[in-house]
Amino acid sequence: MVFKTFLLKYGEIGIKGKNRGQFEDALVTQVRHALSKVEGEYEVSKEQGRIYVNVQGDDNSFDPDEAVEALQKVFGLVGICQVLKAPVADPDVIAEDAVRYMAKTYGLAPAQGSAGAPGEEILPDADALSFKVHTRRANKQYPMSSMEVDALVGEKLLGAFPGKLKVDVHHPDVMLHIEIREEVYIYSKIIPGPGGMPVGTNGRAQLLLSGGIDSPVAGWMIAKRGVALDATYFHAPPYTSERAKQKVVDLAKLVARYSGPIRLHVINFTDIQLAIYEKCPHDELTIIMRRYMMKIAEAMAKKDGSMGLITGESIGQVASQTIQSLVCTDEAATMPVFRPLIGFDKQDIIDLSLKIDTYDTSIQPFEDCCTIFVAKHPVTKPRLDIIQKSEERLADVIDELMEQAVNSAETIRIS
Ligand code: ATP
Ligand code: MG
């Protein structure tokens, strides 16, 4: 026997009234999307502030662990419970279901026949599992109170697994939930979801996605707040390889497991980099290059209907991320730039990248377009007016080069 229903819990803070329906619909969409990637056929429905997933087909038609793993990537979910679902029935029948649930979930063998002679007390084994029954009765027609169901089920469980269970109402090992609604739901394990908001409830933004550790994490953090993502990657063939690009495609795929589909725009940045290299002071290369990245990413963002940019910048991480440098890159964009990692130490970012499984891909050693044209001693305290002055040297070529870069973008759909 396999339990073929999942009860999905979500946080309810700030989603009252009209927003609530939107939040739930977006969540249902994301749950369907996540489950479309795993084996099995799933029916997703929402009922009375709950989302349920019912697996169609027989017990072998899906792998519960795989389904849970997919659901753990759906932002907005705070808990995932695999439940035993049964029709509303007499309390005795519910108690039998509870026995089946406990037997299956905790590997307990039900006692054969009746448990001991009447009045004979069976003491719990030293390793007996402690439990408490917690019944909720949303269906007020049900003829027994929650506390009466608790007591009856508790007693049946003790009788069914003599010595193996004991009651502990304060700190039970197992909190057995019984919910009596349109159906009866029995569960005890609540697997944590990722939290956040369902993607699609908070607009769309353009991620500047490099092959490094930081930008995939930055995209993940913004997507966690309900923002749909698209991404722009700058490469510089033949100075950067096809393999470096593939690494970014791989990273986008890893982020898309959480964010849903991403349009990844690959921008050929070679001519712009060469022009900067040729005409501008070498210690300003990185900062000027970053400014044009911002401008091009913004052009792509407008095409995609995005309202902001996302970068993996963090104060002081490298020369191009001092406060003075950030002032210069920020000025190049007119859209808001979201920098979710701004106050993070590198180790915090690495920990997150390990958690979301992008780290191993990020550390693959392929050259990045920024590392090829970097100066030995980049300015660490650039002044915006001086940078802008240097950029004037590009005046006769840059508009055309930018237009070319935008128009020749290769767009890869990552789903
Ligand atoms: P790491 O520091 O681990 O290399 P990173 O690549 O994110 O990560 P930087 O190279 O300092 O760090 O870049 C800062 C930010 O600028 C990146 O987080 C990313 O948002 C953006 N960026 C840098 N290079 C590129 C690129 N080639 N394509 C797209 N965005 C880029
Ligand atoms: Mg980098």
Side-chain angles (χ1 to χ4, degrees), residues 208-210 213-215 232 234 290 311-312 317 321 346 370:
L208 283 85
L209 181 62
S210 69
I213 294 168
D214 308 330
S215 45
T232 301
F234 297 89
R290 281 262 190 279
T311 75
Q317 197 186 76
Q321 294 173 35
K346 193 71 186 187
C370 328

Side-chain angles (χ1 to χ4, degrees), residues 207-216 218 232-235 248 269 289-290 293-294 310-314 317-318 320-321 341 346 349 362 368-371:
L207 170 65
L208 283 85
L209 181 62
S210 69
I213 294 168
D214 308 330
S215 45
T232 301
Y233 165 61
F234 297 89
H235 73 154
V248 175
F269 206 47
M289 191 181 76
R290 281 262 190 279
M293 283 187 179
M294 289 297 204
I310 307 165
T311 75
E313 290 163 311
S314 156
Q317 197 186 76
V318 284
S320 60
Q321 294 173 35
L341 306 179
K346 193 71 186 187
I349 303 171
S362 287
D368 186 50
C369 69
C370 328
T371 51

Side-chain angles (χ1 to χ4, degrees), residues 1 40 46 52 54 61 77 82 86 91 135-136 177 184 193 226 298 330 336 338 380:
M1 180 191 41
K46 63 171 188 174
Y52 296 101
N54 287 298
S61 64
L77 294 181
Q82 199 175 2
T135 304
R136 263 171 70 178
H177 296 272
V184 175
E298 184 165 287
D330 201 58
F338 305 125
T380 53

Side-chain angles (χ1 to χ4, degrees), residues 291 295 326-334 339 384 388 391:
R291 281 169 54 81
K295 289 182 191 186
L326 288 168
V327 166
C328 293
T329 40
D330 201 58
E331 195 271 346
T334 62
R339 299 178 172 89
L384 182 59
Q388 284 168 329
E391 286 176 356

Side-chain angles (χ1 to χ4, degrees), residues 8-12 27 74-80 190-196:
L8 306 181
K9 302 191 171 203
Y10 50 89
E12 296 181 33
L27 196 48
V74 178
F75 293 133
L77 294 181
V78 297
I80 299 154
I190 306 178
I191 301 162

